[in-house]
Amino acid sequence: MTKEKINLHTHTSFCDGKNTVEEMVLSAINSGFTVLGFSSHCFYPMDPKFYLPFDSLWHIPADQVKVYAAEVKRLAQKYSGQIKLQLGFEADFFESSVYGSAIPTKENYAVFEPDYLIGAVHFVNTDKGFYTVDHKTEFVKENLIKLYSKGDGSIDGKKAVCDYFEAERALLQKGNFEILAHPDLIRKRNGDLHFFDEEESWYKEQLKLTAKAVAKAGVIAEINTGAMARGSMNDVYPSAQFLEYLKELGVPVCISSDCHEADKLDFAFDFAADRAKKAGYDELSYPVQGKIVHIKL
């Protein structure tokens, strides 16, 4: 792993994290981090309460977004001599004629003066409704049946996967942000539900199309260890195959823990670094204080 430790994907009790902002800061300092970025889930300008009938609230409540931003900035001043703190958002992408739209752009979030944005797709919207692709296994299964059942009763896993990657490509086309979150999040529940095969040619084609969209958008793809930290998978996002496609197109990468607990800020960083090296990467790239910092692996 590198000598300089950076994590820009960090959640706190403002959204679905377990610890306060300050508890995360103190853990980062004790773990030798040089830069820590906060990235609470956010649906701005939408009010996340729209999904309460289906899930508990795991985005920053609309009335707490400014409070969150102020707290990160306050602590950045307090600990300026010990660590660089950055204000970010994991900004969700969603488009609906019923509920509204949220497009992660610097212009939309300018009122909060963030240092960076992480663009993310968690929700897939269809003509029959929407669902969250990384929800609990039973909820994902229920919605695959509801939204993607074929005439014979089987699940159209290909359609579900293609809808997810189409949403991600729309995010990349319409958004304006620095980092793409967990590029193949749709894999999270596939180990339990087996609704698609990563070795099929159509799936690899979706990865290639999405890799091209990432390259065109000029963003950094994160190698995310969050599913490993929470025991959902024994692998990072993106998969080794997807990472190879990204490398072939010159897409820069960073390593993120997608941390929700203070003691897991650098969870599986060595594993992620090894994955990056095997794909051909020799450096990581991070937006820090308005510039892209490159760190040798």
Side-chain angles (χ1 to χ4, degrees), residues 42-46 62 65-66 69 87-95 100-119 170-171 173-178:
C42 195
F43 247 126
Y44 189 80
M46 293 177 65
V65 181
K66 289 184 178 179
L87 170 64
F89 292 90
E90 184 175 5
D92 247 306
F93 174 81
F94 191 78
E95 290 185 302
S101 298
I103 311 296
T105 68
K106 296 174 186 176
E107 294 76 17
N108 285 346
Y109 279 80
V111 64
F112 307 112
E113 300 181 329
D115 295 299
Y116 66 98
L117 294 178
I118 299 176
L171 160 70
Q173 179 186 3
K174 299 177 181 181
N176 179 7
F177 52 92
E178 284 82 6

Side-chain angles (χ1 to χ4, degrees), residues 121-124 131-135 140 164 185-186 188-189:
V121 172
H122 295 90
F123 292 77
V124 172
Y131 79 112
T132 318
V133 299
D134 64 333
H135 204 317
V140 174
Y164 166 78
L185 185 63
I186 192 71
K188 185 172 183 178
R189 300 304 180 195

Side-chain angles (χ1 to χ4, degrees), residues 121 162 164-174 205-211 213:
V121 172
C162 289
Y164 166 78
F165 281 116
E166 284 176 11
E168 190 158 85
R169 292 193 291 270
L171 160 70
L172 289 160
Q173 179 186 3
K174 299 177 181 181
E205 184 60 27
Q206 286 297 308
L207 296 187
K208 291 177 181 178
L209 288 172
T210 306

Side-chain angles (χ1 to χ4, degrees), residues 155-213:
I155 300 298
D156 191 345
K158 179 179 179 179
K159 173 63 173 169
V161 170
C162 289
D163 280 356
Y164 166 78
F165 281 116
E166 284 176 11
E168 190 158 85
R169 292 193 291 270
L171 160 70
L172 289 160
Q173 179 186 3
K174 299 177 181 181
N176 179 7
F177 52 92
E178 284 82 6
I179 299 171
L180 175 64
H182 34 63
D184 49 6
L185 185 63
I186 192 71
R187 294 167 57 225
K188 185 172 183 178
R189 300 304 180 195
N190 194 45
D192 294 323
L193 300 178
H194 308 290
F195 60 101
F196 68 93
D197 182 351
E198 292 186 43
E199 295 304 315
E200 291 200 39
S201 59
W202 67 262
Y203 181 78
K204 293 181 180 181
E205 184 60 27
Q206 286 297 308
L207 296 187
K208 291 177 181 178
L209 288 172
T210 306
K212 290 178 181 177

Side-chain angles (χ1 to χ4, degrees), residues 10 96 147 164 192 202 237 258 266:
T10 312
S96 168
L147 303 174
Y164 166 78
D192 294 323
W202 67 262
Y237 311 107
D258 196 348
D266 56 0

Side-chain angles (χ1 to χ4, degrees), residues 207-216 218-219 242-252 279 281:
L207 296 187
K208 291 177 181 178
L209 288 172
T210 306
K212 290 178 181 177
V214 178
K216 185 175 180 179
V219 301
F242 199 176
L243 198 55
E244 288 180 11
Y245 292 151
L246 292 167
K247 179 64 175 69
E248 288 172 5
L249 294 169
V251 174
Y281 286 96

